[in-house]
Amino acid sequence: MQETRPPASPPGAYAPTGRTVPTRSAERVAYDKDLVHEILDEGYVCHLGYVRDGAPVVLPTLYARVGERLYLHGSTGSRPLRMTGARDPGLAVCVTVTHVDGLVLARSFFHHSVNYRSVMVHGLARQVTGPEEKRTALDALVDHVVPGRSRDARPASAKEMAATAVIRLDLDEVSAKVRTGGVNEEPEDLSLPHWAGVVPVHTVYGTPLAEPDLAPGVALPDYLAAL
Amino acid sequence: MQETRPPASPPGAYAPTGRTVPTRSAERVAYDKDLVHEILDEGYVCHLGYVRDGAPVVLPTLYARVGERLYLHGSTGSRPLRMTGARDPGLAVCVTVTHVDGLVLARSFFHHSVNYRSVMVHGLARQVTGPEEKRTALDALVDHVVPGRSRDARPASAKEMAATAVIRLDLDEVSAKVRTGGVNEEPEDLSLPHWAGVVPVHTVYGTPLAEPDLAPGVALPDYLAAL
């Protein structure tokens, strides 16, 4: 389990594979790297799938992207982390990130839909053991959730580093799936007396709630006010 | 593939199993049915995990709960749907629903966290083929996204019903995982000059965008104004 640098990210597209070419809605699938990065960078919780005793497990997990690599966060005791540690060449995983952008209400049940952007990454996950790469990953994980935060918190001690597990997954076999726009409708439904349209869905941040025991003089930092 | 009624939902708790007892953070896990239902009913996009050629796949999918059963939406051409159709006693799946409620910013990297509520369901998924159950499921799927909508849209025709696949998954092996509250901190970090606290995260709906070609006299319905 050598320490490695994340692969650089040349512009372009991911090569489709048997797993990333869809059997349906082919018009919604894209392999463009910029689009994939944008979707990944907007979120911080992914759903990590792996196989345990022949059955699937899907775990919500924090992640961050560094170049052409994802880092996923876990504790050393969690099952997928222990499984990646024990395996060579790695644990087969599928990581999916999904943003819902709107509810699409058609005049017919059939054309009801959701506007969304999702990314699916297939690959072999490995535990990160090199201290330098682990620190890079932890910085990225903290900054991915709140940009700028990693400079305003105490870095992990050696003991804390040992208790934190990080797995890496390179962005090789990747696809995005996107639905945007308005309502599809059967022509004969257009005159029906039903409202149709799109209800936008947004994720927003509320007012930060400070702990009651902040050290004297500690104010709300600019990077939080900017959220 | 008989038509069946969703199991009734007596109060109480799901029985823990080897798959739903965690290896870590046991204090965050719950089996209470009311809590599980509340988390499931608040969302409409789940992440459906299954195994294909030995590797995991995680697919964002619309779902609805009816009693002690989940219905998941898909097209008849999609892979998991075809796989459930071909299998007896069903396709092994894991369905996970996650809501992020807050970013937990501690004075140390190590105690950074996220407040969230998630539900994980393990089981065997079967395709719904009986027309009555399928209609119940489609009503539930439409109303789960926008309560009240199923009475204000054209129901599926026979042809549309045939082109829509629904899978069912009973709520037997279920657990919830919840983190709430403020920041955990090492006592010696309390005097550090870093802001600490929780940034609430909410999902909100924007102003509905009507299609430009609504039939004359169709106004924004009450059930949408109430969102």
Side-chain angles (χ1 to χ4, degrees):
Chain A
M1 288 185 281
Q2 75 292 3
E3 185 144 349
T4 69
R5 277 182 190 285
S9 180
Y14 299 101
T17 71
R19 292 197 287 205
T20 63
V21 171
T23 54
R24 55 183 279 260
S25 301
E27 76 285 0
R28 294 186 185 167
V29 175
Y31 305 95
D32 177 68
K33 287 189 180 183
D34 288 342
L35 174 66
V36 165
H37 294 174
E38 188 186 306
I39 294 170
L40 290 174
D41 292 353
E42 194 176 314
Y44 44 85
V45 173
C46 65
H47 282 80
L48 164 67
Y50 62 99
V51 181
R52 181 177 173 236
D53 299 335
V57 181
V58 177
L59 214 59
T61 306
L62 291 170
Y63 74 92
R65 180 182 71 88
V66 177
E68 290 295 316
R69 177 169 291 169
L70 293 184
Y71 289 111
L72 313 187
H73 179 265
S75 104
T76 47
S78 71
R79 286 194 178 104
L81 272 296
R82 287 181 307 174
M83 289 167 76
T84 51
R87 292 197 190 191
D88 206 351
L91 176 71
V93 300
C94 177
V95 168
T96 300
V97 172
T98 305
H99 308 301
V100 174
D101 296 323
L103 312 177
V104 181
L105 307 186
R107 294 162 183 88
S108 65
F109 271 41
F110 187 70
H111 285 296
H112 274 64
S113 189
V114 168
N115 280 340
Y116 67 97
R117 291 164 294 142
S118 73
V119 164
M120 194 184 290
V121 183
H122 298 270
L124 297 170
R126 292 303 305 269
Q127 204 166 328
V128 173
T129 51
E132 195 190 322
E133 185 180 5
K134 202 163 174 180
R135 224 168 255 289
T136 300
L138 292 179
D139 281 359
L141 283 160
V142 166
D143 278 333
H144 194 66
V145 177
V146 180
R149 178 66 182 176
S150 71
R151 291 187 303 278
D152 188 26
R154 176 179 63 72
S157 66
K159 192 180 153 197
E160 289 169 341
M161 284 276 279
T164 307
V166 176
I167 62 180
R168 83 161 84 94
L169 174 64
D170 286 346
L171 296 173
D172 286 323
E173 196 171 350
V174 185
S175 60
K177 214 165 152 193
V178 175
R179 193 213 186 273
T180 56
V183 178
N184 297 328
E185 211 79 81
E186 301 301 320
E188 61 269 29
D189 289 337
L190 290 173
S191 58
L192 290 177
H194 303 308
W195 189 90
V198 175
V199 182
V201 177
H202 304 287
T203 299
V204 297
Y205 295 102
T207 306
L209 307 166
E211 290 291 292
D213 53 359
L214 293 182
V218 172
L220 189 72
D222 290 344
Y223 59 80
L224 281 183
L227 276 185
Chain B
M1 287 183 281
Q2 76 291 1
E3 186 144 349
T4 69
R5 277 183 189 285
S9 181
Y14 300 101
T17 70
R19 290 197 288 205
T20 63
V21 171
T23 54
R24 54 182 279 262
S25 301
E27 77 286 359
R28 294 187 184 167
V29 175
Y31 305 94
D32 177 68
K33 286 190 180 184
D34 288 341
L35 174 66
V36 165
H37 294 174
E38 188 186 307
I39 295 170
L40 290 173
D41 293 353
E42 194 175 315
Y44 44 83
V45 174
C46 66
H47 282 81
L48 164 66
Y50 63 99
V51 181
R52 182 179 174 234
D53 301 334
V57 181
V58 178
L59 214 59
T61 306
L62 291 170
Y63 74 92
R65 180 181 71 88
V66 177
E68 289 296 315
R69 178 170 290 169
L70 293 184
Y71 289 111
L72 312 188
H73 178 265
S75 103
T76 47
S78 72
R79 286 195 179 104
L81 272 296
R82 289 182 307 176
M83 289 168 76
T84 51
R87 293 199 189 189
D88 207 351
L91 176 70
V93 300
C94 177
V95 168
T96 300
V97 172
T98 306
H99 307 303
V100 174
D101 296 323
L103 312 177
V104 180
L105 307 187
R107 295 164 183 85
S108 63
F109 272 40
F110 187 70
H111 285 296
H112 273 65
S113 189
V114 168
N115 279 339
Y116 67 97
R117 291 163 296 143
S118 72
V119 163
M120 193 183 291
V121 183
H122 297 271
L124 296 170
R126 291 303 304 267
Q127 204 165 330
V128 173
T129 52
E132 195 190 321
E133 185 181 4
K134 203 162 173 180
R135 226 168 254 289
T136 302
L138 292 179
D139 281 359
L141 282 160
V142 166
D143 278 333
H144 193 66
V145 178
V146 180
R149 178 67 183 176
S150 71
R151 292 187 301 279
D152 188 26
R154 176 179 65 71
S157 67
K159 191 180 154 198
E160 289 169 342
M161 284 276 280
T164 307
V166 176
I167 61 179
R168 84 161 83 92
L169 174 64
D170 286 346
L171 296 173
D172 287 324
E173 197 171 348
V174 185
S175 61
K177 214 166 153 193
V178 175
R179 192 214 187 273
T180 57
V183 178
N184 297 329
E185 210 81 79
E186 301 301 320
E188 61 269 29
D189 288 338
L190 290 172
S191 58
L192 290 178
H194 304 308
W195 189 90
V198 175
V199 182
V201 178
H202 305 288
T203 299
V204 297
Y205 296 102
T207 305
L209 307 166
E211 289 291 292
D213 53 0
L214 293 182
V218 173
L220 189 72
D222 290 343
Y223 59 79
L224 280 183
L227 277 184

